[in-house]
Amino acid sequence: MLQHLKPTEAAIEKLALAETDLSQQARFRPLRWGFLGNLFLIVLAAGTGFVHALLAALWRRAFVPYRHDP
Amino acid sequence: MTPDDVVVVGSGPSGAMAAAELVARGLRVTLVDYGDDDPGMRARVPDMPFSQFRRTDPAQRGYLLGDRLEGVPRSGVRVGAQLTPPRQFASRAAEGLLPVRSEDFHPMQSLALGGLGAAWGTACFTYSAEECRRIGLDASALATQYRNVIEEAGISGPEVDPNQGYWWEGAPECQPPLELDTNSASILAAYQRDAPRWLRRGFALGRIPLAINSRPHRGREANPYFDTDFYGDVRRSAYRPRYTIERLQRESNFRYVPGCLALAFREDPHGVELDCLRGGERAVFRARRLVLCAGAFNTARLALASLALDDRVTTLLASAYTYFPTLNLRMLGRPAADRRHSMAQLTALFGALTQPERTCSLQLYSYRSLLLFKLIKEMPLAPWAGLLMSRAIVDALAIFGVFFPDENGPTKTLRLGASTTSAAPDVHIAYARPPAQQAIQAELEAGLRKCFWRLGCVPLGRVDPGLAGSIHYAGTIPQSNPVNPRFHTLADGRLGGSERVFVGDNSSWNWLPCKGPTFTAMAGARLVAGHVTASLGERQ
């Protein structure tokens, strides 16, 4: 199940291209907000990101038609 | 043209060291190799810190992701996925030319100049007398050759450390240790505050010896701590076998012949002939002796294809490997210094430390110069959240790679098949670890998780890159072969049933320790080269 929640290949490729684009470097810099600040970020990202990924996966399963590539 | 004294097959760590020893002993040596390389891609990596070119180089996508985005993994975790575009030549040619058929065992093989050594993580370990006994190596003879490998490759040793005896017998020829990065230094400091108790738990942690210069050595520079070691051979500070080949090419009694795919050999009363495919045509090399250093699978492929055997089947060894990404709580929210090398920072042994079959070895990496998208890819989160999470943890991420020992047996087989897609025959591999071996691994992993927590490193997951994921392979022509007793190697490295063919790489091992095999395989190759010389009569 967790496998289905991981980002799609297209999303990863988009991230990879952005990460190697000089104009978008700021989006990828380490965040250093101290121990509690970073802990808060981790909890926030894990909680909301998991729910978002779960809903997105359910949406895909329910509404995105299966495409058969010949 | 008179035949050579010796033909060596393969330019990997073993082949380069065997050739170096033979040339030093005055023999005429030809090294036959496929020799794939990608110097153009390697040269594109700038000679500056990773953090600097990330901020300034508009061409970084070319070498970080590849011109066809070949550095963006398309599927789940698999063997070789960690190779960056400038390193992908290490396995590129072998994927098509050395076919392996298996349901679940997909090894990384190499036809590159330098073999798998072109992408070696440079971790070096000496083996204890007990480990040598199990492998079938002469421990006292090996000690001399360890020193020769240190001289050839340049090893930065651990500083005086009470635990280092578990993985490194100190040698005065070693260079000073490399600097630790911030993350690893904090973990080591936490460990050292209570080292005796850790040892009672069976956990020995310390600095790792690496084949990377901490000071100039043999025309190669010291590592500049640019954190680009996963991409280029920065200032040649990390040892690669091609440096030995380049040096040998300046010797009059050495010849390097690239572009050859070795297929089989024939022995007659006067010497050995090696059949190769070169540029689409058959090429034959003749010598008085042949030394096989083509890697565990390809050495077995060559020997199985060449010997008169009733059954062309053998066994194999492959370390089990898993890795644990952990969050080092001491570093959370704190900046990690950019100045660092990229390879393993620390090593550890865990288990019953005096029983090598019940011990695993660890290598600790800190995640900086591999890009964040590779981390996000493994997170079951929406991409924006994965990015936020990665940015919050990247300074504190400590990745423990864990290796386990392997023993051969009837559930681990390699069988020679017909040629289908390449001039080289297919090999069919069936590999399964027996339940008892799996139970030991599970028990060790459970204990390790507790150790990580006690060290202040919160395990974030467990990643299993597959049965062949360690890239530590050996034992396809062991001295004692439980699958095909006639297919074996003698104690001096000579191929069983042969007079003039020797096995120079770790195909001849009876057992595979948890500690990385490359350094000892290099020393072992030099030992075999000594036996080859003796079989010809000393020349100097």
Side-chain angles (χ1 to χ4, degrees):
Chain A
M1 181 59 199
L2 287 181
Q3 196 64 31
H4 296 289
L5 304 188
K6 291 181 181 177
T8 60
E9 283 188 10
I12 289 298
E13 186 171 310
K14 197 174 157 191
L15 272 170
L17 292 172
E19 196 170 2
T20 50
D21 179 347
L22 274 187
S23 66
Q24 299 190 54
Q25 293 283 302
R27 287 178 59 203
F28 294 86
R29 286 204 191 109
L31 289 167
R32 291 150 180 171
W33 291 7
F35 182 83
L36 289 176
N38 277 40
L39 196 61
F40 169 74
L41 285 175
I42 290 168
V43 172
L44 177 78
T48 55
F50 183 80
V51 172
H52 186 164
L54 190 64
L55 292 175
L58 292 172
W59 180 271
R60 277 198 300 271
R61 180 172 290 185
F63 298 112
V64 178
Y66 173 73
R67 284 192 313 175
H68 176 67
D69 296 323
Chain B
M1 184 176 167
T2 56
D4 290 301
D5 291 321
V6 185
V7 163
V8 177
V9 183
S11 66
S14 298
M17 286 296 161
E21 182 73 23
L22 292 163
V23 167
R25 288 170 180 256
L27 299 177
R28 287 169 296 136
V29 177
T30 292
L31 195 149
V32 174
D33 190 28
Y34 191 82
D36 195 14
D37 200 3
D38 196 354
M41 180 61 102
R42 206 163 40 232
R44 287 163 69 177
V45 183
D47 186 40
M48 63 172 76
F50 181 78
S51 53
Q52 186 180 342
F53 72 64
R54 292 281 288 121
R55 285 193 307 269
T56 58
D57 186 5
Q60 60 184 271
R61 184 174 293 160
Y63 50 85
L64 294 179
L65 302 183
D67 295 325
R68 298 178 309 283
L69 301 184
E70 59 270 30
V72 182
R74 301 289 165 186
S75 55
V77 177
R78 62 175 179 82
V79 181
Q82 72 274 35
L83 293 181
T84 59
R87 294 257 186 261
Q88 286 181 353
F89 75 95
S91 63
R92 183 174 57 188
E95 284 169 14
L97 292 172
L98 302 177
V100 169
R101 312 291 172 205
S102 178
E103 280 184 18
D104 48 12
F105 190 94
H106 304 288
M108 188 195 289
Q109 299 178 90
S110 181
L111 285 170
L113 170 57
L116 288 176
W120 177 35
T122 72
C124 296
F125 302 96
T126 54
Y127 287 170
S128 67
E130 170 61 13
E131 286 166 325
C132 287
R133 187 191 64 75
R134 284 169 170 270
I135 293 168
L137 285 168
D138 178 346
S140 57
L142 201 61
T144 307
Q145 291 301 352
Y146 276 147
R147 283 194 285 277
N148 288 336
V149 176
I150 290 169
E151 170 54 28
E152 178 75 33
I155 311 290
S156 58
E159 59 193 358
V160 176
D161 179 329
N163 289 347
Q164 75 179 44
Y166 289 110
W167 53 82
W168 186 254
E169 296 294 333
E173 298 85 354
C174 278
Q175 301 174 28
L178 290 156
E179 293 174 20
L180 284 183
D181 70 11
T182 329
N183 202 350
S184 307
S186 77
I187 293 171
L188 185 60
Y191 174 89
Q192 286 176 335
R193 275 195 291 274
D194 206 2
R197 184 179 292 180
W198 280 108
L199 275 181
R200 284 198 295 276
R201 290 189 188 118
F203 190 82
L205 178 84
R207 286 169 178 263
I208 184 168
L210 295 170
I212 302 179
N213 289 341
S214 60
R215 64 182 180 210
H217 178 80
R218 286 201 165 214
R220 294 162 37 220
E221 294 185 46
N223 191 278
Y225 300 101
F226 282 172
D227 195 12
T228 55
D229 307 277
F230 283 134
Y231 294 93
D233 293 331
V234 53
R235 300 188 186 178
R236 297 163 74 94
S237 61
Y239 174 73
R240 302 293 166 206
R242 68 187 162 88
Y243 303 149
T244 298
I245 305 299
E246 288 169 10
R247 178 179 70 74
L248 293 177
Q249 284 180 283
R250 295 193 287 272
E251 304 284 343
S252 60
N253 56 333
F254 178 78
R255 186 167 63 123
Y256 175 66
V257 186
C260 299
L261 180 66
L263 296 174
F265 56 81
R266 276 183 310 281
E267 204 173 342
D268 60 45
H270 307 290
V272 193
E273 278 187 351
L274 177 71
D275 272 340
C276 297
L277 201 62
R278 190 179 191 205
E281 294 182 1
R282 183 169 174 253
V284 178
F285 296 87
R286 188 167 176 83
R288 297 165 68 198
R289 298 289 182 270
L290 175 68
V291 181
L292 302 175
C293 295
F297 301 110
N298 204 30
T299 287
R301 186 194 313 257
L302 272 165
L304 285 170
S306 307
L307 296 179
L309 295 164
D310 299 328
D311 201 3
R312 298 185 190 280
V313 65
T314 185
T315 186
L316 69 146
L317 296 167
S319 285
Y321 177 65
T322 53
Y323 59 92
F324 293 85
T326 69
L327 189 65
N328 176 12
L329 293 177
R330 283 173 213 85
M331 288 296 297
L332 194 59
R334 282 180 54 199
D338 286 336
R339 180 183 162 83
R340 62 172 64 199
H341 67 80
S342 317
M343 300 305 193
Q345 301 280 334
L346 298 173
T347 187
L349 287 184
F350 175 67
L353 296 175
T354 54
Q355 298 176 50
E357 76 281 10
R358 302 184 77 88
T359 304
C360 59
S361 81
L362 295 85
Q363 292 180 28
L364 170 65
Y365 290 84
S366 295
Y367 194 105
R368 286 303 296 273
S369 63
L370 290 178
L371 301 172
L372 289 189
F373 78 88
K374 292 186 180 176
L375 197 57
I376 299 166
K377 175 176 162 290
E378 299 306 321
M379 293 181 174
L381 302 175
W384 66 267
L387 178 56
L388 183 60
M389 173 85 99
S390 304
R391 295 175 69 194
I393 68 173
V394 68
D395 281 324
L397 197 63
I399 299 174
F400 290 89
V402 189
F403 297 87
F404 299 86
D406 195 25
E407 55 193 36
N408 57 29
T411 60
K412 300 164 184 172
T413 60
L414 181 155
R415 183 176 292 278
L416 195 75
S419 299
T420 55
T421 56
S422 165
D426 296 0
V427 296
H428 299 261
I429 295 179
Y431 183 92
R433 297 189 178 103
Q437 191 180 0
Q438 291 182 38
I440 291 173
Q441 181 178 339
E443 187 185 327
L444 286 169
E445 286 189 15
L448 273 177
R449 281 198 182 84
K450 289 180 190 163
C451 289
F452 296 150
W453 279 101
R454 285 180 180 137
L455 270 177
C457 296
V458 178
L460 301 175
R462 172 188 183 272
V463 184
D464 182 351
L467 290 172
S470 66
I471 322 181
H472 291 178
Y473 315 126
T476 48
I477 319 177
Q479 293 175 30
S480 172
N481 191 334
V483 170
N484 188 352
R486 281 194 59 209
F487 190 63
H488 68 287
T489 305
L490 305 178
D492 64 355
R494 201 182 305 251
L495 185 63
S498 159
E499 289 293 317
R500 295 169 181 81
V501 181
F502 288 74
V503 177
D505 57 27
N506 63 4
S507 303
S508 61
W509 291 10
N510 290 322
W511 182 72
L512 188 56
C514 60
K515 296 182 286 188
T518 306
F519 180 71
T520 298
M522 290 198 282
R526 297 189 79 114
L527 267 184
V528 171
H531 294 308
V532 172
T533 310
S535 77
L536 287 166
E538 290 286 340
R539 294 284 292 253
Q540 65 175 36

